[in-house]
């Protein structure tokens, strides 16, 4: 088991669903490489595969319900997360046919052992390596090709509202990186984030500890997993902040001048403009534009809007601050314009975001009662 203790040997064993899937692919080899969900007739393809897999499941004399939902191409939070759960985890099923799917929640994949596995998206295939960490946002179409006994991918599932209220407050302290997370989580452009962390034994131990909590379910296991995910993010940011790789051009730079510009824009987002930024550090406006564009692929105005929208998410969590006050704090003289920009960025209004937060708080109170 290489570096892993005998207590984690069960991770490598094929469970009964994986054994079924392995036999299914042996009997229907066409589904070893056929990607379902790329074509216009995706619903028809899904229905055919689902029907075939279910018949094969029933033929195998399985007494329990079939493990797939008929709408497996879009997985809702309550499929994996119990009502009282904010975070949970699973072992990614090996030998699963290549069913492109998206989900309502945030998914963090940890590649314990790759053994030639791939992540498949609409834009192509990504070969995975040991220690890879992938953040898959909601509505991101993907699947994993892990068709061997030795591939082990462990998944964290996080409610979006939990990310809003717990984890994002931590990530916001990471300056420009918080913009990346808000873009990945709230935009619907299919962005994912990848880190190569092969040598990080601290992260490996934390993931394995979380898996043990989930599989054995001791007292307060749900709270322990949630705490571990928070620690997981802290370690990731502390040790690997500048190693993130993005599926689309994003801010991904260790350039000190660029980061200085960006931090200044964060601190002065209400009043900063291109002229004041250039004057502050003794650059010409043309030089500033060139540096920003080279390092982020974005211009000054687009980056400033990203920063302001990220701040807006944080400020909206305080119910005592009005939308008009937030607009003013961020440098918008017109509240209606701020609301339009916010909606265009996140596909929901500031009021809708606050309603989501109110609902999660009410649910927490009712759960305690």
């Amino acid at each position: 088991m290489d570096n892993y203790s005998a207590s984690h040997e069960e991770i490598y064993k094929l469970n009964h669903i994986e054994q079924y899937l392995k036999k299914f692919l042996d009997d229907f080899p066409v589904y070893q490489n056929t990607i379902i969900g790329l074509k216009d007739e995706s619903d028809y393809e899904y229905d055919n595969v689902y029907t075939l897999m279910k018949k094969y499941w029933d033929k195998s004399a399985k007494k329990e319900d079939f493990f797939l939902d008929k709408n497996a191409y879009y997985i809702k939070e309550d499929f994996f997360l119990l009502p009282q759960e904010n975070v949970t985890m699973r072992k990614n099923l090996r030998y699963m046919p290549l069913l492109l799917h998206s989900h309502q929640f945030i998914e963090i994949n940890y590649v314990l052992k790759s053994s030639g596995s791939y992540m498949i998206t609409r834009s192509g295939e990504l070969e995975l390596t040991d220690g890879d960490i992938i953040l898959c946002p909601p509505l991101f179409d993907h699947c994993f090709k892990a068709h061997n006994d030795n591939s082990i991918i462990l998944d964290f599932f996080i409610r979006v509202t939990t990310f809003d209220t717990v984890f994002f407050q931590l990530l916001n302290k990471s300056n420009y990186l918080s913009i990346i997370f808000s873009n990945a989580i709230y935009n619907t452009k299919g962005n994912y984030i990848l880190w190569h962390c092969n040598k990080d034994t601290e992260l490996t131990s934390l993931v394995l500890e979380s898996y043990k909590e989930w599989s054995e379910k001791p007292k307060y296991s749900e709270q322990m997993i949630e705490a571990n995910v928070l620690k997981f993010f802290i370690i990731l940011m502390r040790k690997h902040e500048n190693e993130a790789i993005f599926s689309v051009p994003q801010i991904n730079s260790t350039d000190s001048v660029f980061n200085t510009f960006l931090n200044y824009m964060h601190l002065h987002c209400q009043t900063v403009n291109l002229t004041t930024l250039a004057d502050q550090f003794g650059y010409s406006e043309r030089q500033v534009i060139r540096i920003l564009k080279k390092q982020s692929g974005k211009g000054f105005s687009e980056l400033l809007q990203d920063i302001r929208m990220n701040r807006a998410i944080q400020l909206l969590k305080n119910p005592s601050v009005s939308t008009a006050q937030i607009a003013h704090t961020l440098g918008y003289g017109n509240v209606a314009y701020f609301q339009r920009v916010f909606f265009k960025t996140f596909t929901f209004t500031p009021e809708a975001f606050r309603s989501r937060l109110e609902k999660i708080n009410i649910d927490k109170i009712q759960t305690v009662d």
Side-chain angles (χ1 to χ4, degrees), residues 176-177 193-198 200 236 239-246 252 254:
Y176 68 88
L177 192 65
I193 310 176
L194 169 70
W195 291 264
H196 295 301
C197 302
N198 184 29
D200 198 318
L236 193 60
K239 299 170 67 175
H240 306 283
E241 183 176 41
N242 294 318
E243 299 170 24
I245 301 170
F246 307 99
N252 183 24
T254 58

Side-chain angles (χ1 to χ4, degrees), residues 94-334:
R94 289 164 285 185
Y95 297 102
M96 188 72 180
L98 308 180
L99 307 177
L100 279 182
H101 65 278
S102 63
H103 35 64
Q104 189 180 20
F105 45 85
I106 297 163
E107 180 179 286
I108 305 290
N109 311 109
Y110 184 81
V111 183
L112 184 65
K113 284 290 182 181
S114 169
S115 297
S117 298
Y118 289 82
M119 181 172 76
I120 299 174
T121 71
R122 290 193 176 276
S123 58
E125 298 184 4
L126 172 70
E127 186 172 6
L128 302 174
T129 60
D130 293 358
D132 281 356
I133 296 168
I134 308 162
L135 186 150
C136 294
L139 303 178
F140 170 59
D141 293 323
H142 68 289
C143 65
F144 291 95
K145 184 177 182 180
H147 292 172
N148 63 80
D149 289 9
N150 296 320
S151 175
I152 305 294
I153 303 173
L154 302 176
D155 305 329
F156 288 105
F157 304 136
I158 308 171
R159 291 186 189 275
V160 173
T161 46
T162 301
F163 193 92
D164 289 337
T165 55
V166 180
F167 303 116
F168 197 79
Q169 293 183 25
L170 166 71
L171 298 174
N172 188 49
K173 301 183 186 301
S174 298
N175 296 319
Y176 68 88
L177 192 65
S178 61
I179 302 173
I180 300 305
F181 275 85
S182 65
N183 283 342
I185 300 306
Y186 297 110
N187 288 351
T188 56
K189 299 177 182 177
N191 307 345
Y192 66 85
I193 310 176
L194 169 70
W195 291 264
H196 295 301
C197 302
N198 184 29
K199 303 299 181 181
D200 198 318
T201 56
E202 193 174 9
L203 285 173
T204 301
S205 297
L206 194 59
V207 172
L208 290 174
E209 178 187 328
S210 299
Y211 182 79
K212 185 177 181 180
E213 288 284 336
W214 173 76
S215 59
E216 297 182 2
K217 292 181 173 51
K219 192 174 182 180
Y220 301 117
S221 60
E222 296 163 12
Q223 291 85 347
M224 183 63 74
I225 293 173
E226 189 169 337
N228 282 349
V229 172
L230 187 60
K231 186 176 180 181
F232 181 89
F233 277 127
I234 293 172
I235 296 169
L236 193 60
M237 296 304 98
R238 175 186 288 172
K239 299 170 67 175
H240 306 283
E241 183 176 41
N242 294 318
E243 299 170 24
I245 301 170
F246 307 99
S247 58
V248 296
Q250 294 279 4
I251 303 168
N252 183 24
S253 173
T254 58
D255 185 272
S256 60
V257 174
F258 169 73
N259 290 338
T260 299
F261 287 168
L262 208 57
N263 288 335
Y264 184 87
M265 291 169 70
H266 270 276
L267 292 172
H268 303 278
C269 69
Q270 182 183 39
T271 59
V272 68
N273 57 43
L274 182 58
T275 301
T276 58
L277 179 62
D279 290 346
Q280 175 69 25
F281 298 101
Y283 286 83
S284 69
E285 292 183 16
R286 181 173 296 181
Q287 287 174 311
V288 171
I289 292 171
R290 186 167 61 249
I291 292 170
L292 295 180
K293 197 72 175 179
K294 178 182 178 182
Q295 297 299 324
S296 71
K298 298 181 179 181
F300 172 84
S301 297
E302 193 175 1
L303 284 175
L304 181 59
Q305 181 173 298
D306 284 346
I307 291 169
R308 286 173 168 174
M309 290 300 99
N310 173 62
R311 286 283 303 278
I313 285 288
Q314 302 307 313
L315 292 170
L316 284 164
K317 293 173 183 176
N318 185 347
S320 65
V321 181
S322 69
T323 303
Q325 288 174 306
I326 293 173
H328 174 74
T329 299
L330 298 177
Y332 292 99
N334 186 294

Side-chain angles (χ1 to χ4, degrees), residues 16-52:
H16 69 288
I17 296 177
E18 291 172 320
Q19 291 170 2
Y20 150 82
L21 289 170
K22 187 175 183 179
K23 291 177 182 177
F24 178 83
L25 289 186
D26 285 342
D27 287 351
F28 300 95
V30 65
Y31 291 114
Q32 292 180 13
N33 296 299
T34 302
I35 302 173
I36 307 298
L38 286 177
K39 303 176 183 177
D40 293 336
E41 59 271 20
S42 294
D43 289 348
Y44 177 76
E45 289 181 325
Y46 273 111
D47 287 344
N48 282 349
V49 174
Y50 176 86
T51 301
L52 181 61

